[in-house]
Structures are given as C-alpha cells and as structure tokens.
Amino acid sequence: MTDLATRDGESTATPDALREERRRRMSPRDKWRRFTYRFTPYLYISPFFIIFAVVGLFPLAFTAFVSFYDWRLTTQSVDDATFIGLQNYSDVLFGNAVFWTSLANTFSIFLISTIPQIIIATFIAVMLDRNLRAKTFWRMGVLLPYVVAPVAIAIIFSAIFRDPTQGGLMNSLLELVGLDPVNWKSDRIPSHIAIALMVNFRWTGYNALILLAAMQAVPRDLYEAAALDGAGAMRRFFSVTLPSIRGTMIFVVITATMGGLRIFDEVRMYDPRPGSVGGPGGIFRTVVLYMYDTGFNGAKGDLGKASAIAWLLFFIILIFAGLNFWLSGRIATDGSGKKVSKRQLRREAAAIVNEQEGAR
C-alpha cells in the first residue's frame, strides 16, 4: 500500500501501481468478465484463420515443397519423388519460351481488361451516385453479369467472337458497317481484346458498386463547399471524390490486378476444343493455363514444374500489387506528392465556407 500512500491529500501512486491494485481487488467473476471481454473477439474470428491455415497456408507451403522435387501426377508420397533443388524454376525460366510467351499474353490481357474496367466502373459509379429514379433497379442491374457463371459467359462470348470461317455475331456486325471480318480466335491481339471484353463484362458492375458505396460515404458538404468555390463537376471529381475514395480505389485496383493476372476460366473456355491450350500456337495462353496444362495434362503431369510456375506467378502478383498500391496512393495527392486526408479536405472545405460567409 506504500505506492498508494497520499501526500497532502494527493495520491503519489504511479499509474502502473494503480492498475495493479485495481486488478488485485477484482473478484474472480470480474476477472472472468474482463477476460471474456478482451479475448472473445479473437475466439469469434479464429475459425476463419484456422480454416485458412488448413486450406490456404498448408497448400501454399506444400506447393513450395513440391516445387523442389521431380514430382509427377502419379507420385503418391515424397519417398517416390526426387529432390532436384531449383531445377524446376530453371526449366520454367530458361528451358523454353512458353513461360515468357504466356506471361506476355497475361500482361496483354490484363492491361486491355483492367485499365478500361476501372475507368468504366468509376464512371458508372459516378452516374449511379446521382439522384436517379429507380436507383435500386439500376444498381442491381449492373451487378447481374457478376452472378452469371464464368463458364456461361465464356461460351456466349466464344460464340459471338468466332473466326470468319465459322461466322459469329461480331463479324456479321462488322460486315454490316462495311468492315473486314476479324480472326477473333486465330490472331493474337483480337483474341486478347475478346477475352478482355469478357472479363470486363463480368467485373465492371461489381467494381462499380464497391466504388459507389465509397462515394456515398463522402460528406456532401465537401461538394457544396467546392461548388460554392466555383469548382465544376470535373474539378469536384478529381479534388474531392477521388481523394476521398482513395482506400477503396486501392482495394479495387489491387483485386483487379490479382484477378487479371490469375485469369483462367475465360481463357480456358474461349477455345474449348479438346487439346487446345490457349488457341493455335498458344496465342492467348496465360500463365495459369500454362500451369494447369503442365501439372494436370495427362501426358505431362509434372506437378513439380507446375508448382514452380505457381510460385513465380505469386511473386509477380506481389510485385504488381505493390506497384499498384504505390501508384494508387499517388491519386490522392495535392500535386506535390503530399497525401490529402479527409480531415484536411474537411478543413479546406470549412475554410472555403468561412470565406464565402465573410464575403457576404
């Protein structure tokens, strides 16, 4: 009790001593209540992390383990596999050009799809953020493509974008306006454009709704202050909306990057003919499709090399996600590279309002 002694009516105990004294005086029931209050949230979220460790972290670690072995599709245990070190990585990177060609196709489809997708999604979100009639109808309408199965979308687009010898709706429309038909499945760039349209059709509405939710959380007084200051619609968008939704924009960009670099369903079903792996000569074969063909094609069945491809793709995605995170962070700057926070935006808006009131 010496720590709690008083001098001239004032306590001289340190904060740590006071907390320790209060903890000592607590009854067992209070201690149990405090324990449950502090640790119950961890108990509630633990099932997710336990399941994630089983179905996420363990396969990730096992894939890294397999990538150092000559592990075939028929291999039953590590006793049947041969340790070869980094040979699988060397074969993938320097053994042939298939990996690099697949990587170039992946980047091409990724750029053609992701950049327009985010721009269009942002534009749709801005339009939906306005005072429209039947808001729910329009907002649910843009989400409909997302609920359609990717395989169904791929089959429909595969039928629309056929080569001239097979007909196809898109070539018929081109002929109607006097343009030459396009080899949508035999030429590299046209096939990438068709697959990118497929991806954008499915994901644009989903990203638009995420951005719309963020836009609706932006305080309206910011827009009113900017309007009073004479800012037009474009200035309000770049100076108020975009910095305010910076966090959500980063989330959308990163998820779109990861999805674009892992594209598989659309590419696999765009040319579903038996034996076709990314079209003639692999003109639209992506890294994930190359990995699938290497690991699960009956003739190859090289799970060790497929695991090495998976890890290489993992590192590539990490690099691009980090790069996108940095680039997206530059969106919310004041032009000099300095980030603009919501508090600063509110402060600037209040200053503008005060100036307007003072002028009156």
Side-chain angles (χ1 to χ4, degrees):
M1 293 298 292
T2 55
D3 292 339
L4 302 179
T6 58
R7 180 185 302 169
D8 299 333
E10 296 181 358
S11 174
T12 59
T14 62
D16 291 339
L18 288 173
R19 281 195 293 270
E20 182 62 27
E21 179 62 18
R22 282 198 297 267
R23 190 178 298 113
R24 192 179 64 81
R25 292 180 178 179
M26 289 173 65
S27 66
R29 184 176 181 180
D30 291 337
K31 289 181 179 178
W32 172 251
R33 186 177 299 168
R34 180 177 179 178
F35 175 81
T36 56
Y37 177 78
R38 293 182 59 183
F39 293 99
T40 297
Y42 298 102
L43 180 65
Y44 288 154
I45 63 175
S46 60
F48 167 79
F49 288 97
I50 293 173
I51 296 174
F52 176 74
V54 174
V55 303
L57 292 182
F58 174 74
L60 195 67
F62 188 70
T63 301
F65 176 79
V66 170
S67 68
F68 296 110
Y69 283 82
D70 182 12
W71 197 297
R72 298 290 166 173
L73 192 60
T74 55
T75 302
Q76 298 296 322
S77 66
V78 67
D79 296 332
D80 301 330
T82 304
F83 181 77
I84 57 174
L86 298 175
Q87 185 63 42
N88 284 323
Y89 292 91
S90 176
D91 291 343
V92 171
L93 293 174
F94 310 112
N96 54 59
V98 176
F99 174 77
W100 298 107
T101 305
S102 304
L103 189 61
N105 292 337
T106 304
F107 284 151
S108 176
I109 297 173
F110 160 68
L111 292 175
I112 295 174
S113 62
T114 302
I115 295 175
Q117 179 188 137
I118 294 176
I119 294 174
I120 297 172
T122 306
F123 175 78
I124 293 175
V126 171
M127 294 297 106
L128 292 176
D129 194 32
R130 294 191 174 187
N131 189 22
L132 300 176
R133 292 185 176 181
K135 293 180 181 178
T136 305
F137 171 79
W138 299 113
R139 291 172 184 176
M140 293 305 297
V142 298
L143 191 61
L144 283 179
Y146 178 73
V147 302
V148 180
V151 174
I153 295 176
I155 292 174
I156 294 171
F157 273 76
S158 177
I160 294 175
F161 293 94
R162 285 179 174 172
D163 281 344
T165 56
Q166 301 172 334
L169 178 61
M170 186 53 66
N171 278 327
S172 299
L173 294 176
L174 292 177
E175 290 177 355
L176 281 177
V177 297
L179 298 177
D180 295 331
V182 177
N183 294 318
W184 294 106
K185 293 187 177 180
S186 303
D187 290 342
R188 186 178 301 276
I189 297 301
S191 64
H192 293 185
I193 293 174
I195 294 171
L197 288 174
M198 201 185 316
V199 175
N200 290 342
F201 173 75
R202 183 160 186 259
W203 288 101
T204 301
Y206 174 81
N207 289 328
L209 286 187
I210 293 178
L211 294 172
L212 173 64
M215 289 178 186
Q216 291 186 327
V218 179
R220 297 297 162 180
D221 55 350
L222 294 179
Y223 293 110
E224 294 172 0
L228 290 173
D229 197 36
M234 293 296 292
R235 180 62 186 275
R236 291 198 298 270
F237 172 75
F238 284 105
S239 298
V240 177
T241 304
L242 216 49
S244 299
I245 64 170
R246 172 176 168 269
T248 306
M249 181 64 75
I250 292 174
F251 170 79
V252 169
V253 170
I254 291 178
T255 53
T257 300
M258 291 189 293
L261 295 177
R262 292 186 294 110
I263 183 171
F264 174 76
D265 295 343
E266 293 84 353
V267 180
R268 180 68 185 88
M269 295 305 299
Y270 186 60
D271 188 7
R273 295 176 300 172
S276 175
V277 184
I283 57 173
F284 51 86
R285 175 171 44 202
T286 61
V287 175
V288 178
L289 189 58
Y290 174 46
M291 178 184 67
Y292 173 80
D293 180 59
T294 302
F296 298 99
N297 188 321
K300 301 174 183 175
D302 193 342
L303 290 181
K305 188 178 293 183
S307 300
I309 298 171
W311 268 94
L312 289 172
L313 179 62
F314 177 72
F315 287 122
I316 292 171
I317 291 176
L318 281 184
I319 293 172
F320 270 79
L323 182 62
N324 278 338
F325 182 82
W326 179 78
L327 288 175
S328 302
R330 305 293 295 178
I331 293 175
T333 61
D334 59 359
S336 62
K338 184 180 178 181
K339 295 180 180 179
V340 180
S341 63
K342 286 187 176 181
R343 180 178 299 176
Q344 184 177 350
L345 286 172
R346 291 193 182 94
R347 192 181 303 122
E348 293 177 354
I352 293 172
V353 171
N354 292 333
E355 290 179 1
Q356 294 290 335
E357 292 178 349
R360 293 173 186 173

